Amino acid sequence: PHVRTLASQGLGGLGHLGVQFANKMGFKVAVVSRSAAKKDTAMKMGAHHYIATDTQNAGEELMKLGGASVALTTVFDAKSMEPMVKG
């Protein structure tokens, strides 16, 4: 069966729960965050991939993974979500 990718933007109060639930539901989880500061935390919570937008383009990196079937965002800034939508 095809494993779907879920892109999760935001790893705060709600984002970390989304990562854990998505992993348990069988998604390949890609966390998108502003910097690499939360990478270790994201990976411990079940992320398979981590995209730091200060050095990577979220849409391009998600497309390298085959694209995301689901986008989960818990951030308030529409401008920061735009690049992720392209993946």
Side-chain angles (χ1 to χ4, degrees):
H2 176 69
V3 177
R4 298 176 297 162
T5 299
L6 179 137
S8 178
Q9 184 178 30
L11 196 65
L14 292 175
H16 78 283
L17 292 173
V19 170
Q20 293 175 71
F21 281 118
N23 178 292
K24 296 298 182 192
M25 293 171 67
F27 283 95
K28 181 171 60 172
V29 181
V31 169
V32 178
S33 192
R34 284 181 288 198
S35 72
K38 296 182 180 179
K39 181 176 181 176
D40 290 342
T41 301
M43 302 309 273
K44 287 177 186 173
M45 291 185 179
H48 300 94
H49 303 281
Y50 190 89
I51 300 167
T53 59
D54 61 350
T55 60
Q56 299 171 290
N57 179 288
E60 291 175 7
E61 295 302 316
L62 288 168
M63 289 307 294
K64 289 178 186 176
L65 300 174
S69 303
V70 178
L72 170 67
T73 183
T74 59
V75 299
F76 298 100
D77 180 22
K79 185 178 177 184
S80 70
M81 289 183 252
E82 185 179 340
M84 189 175 80
V85 173
K86 296 176 183 177

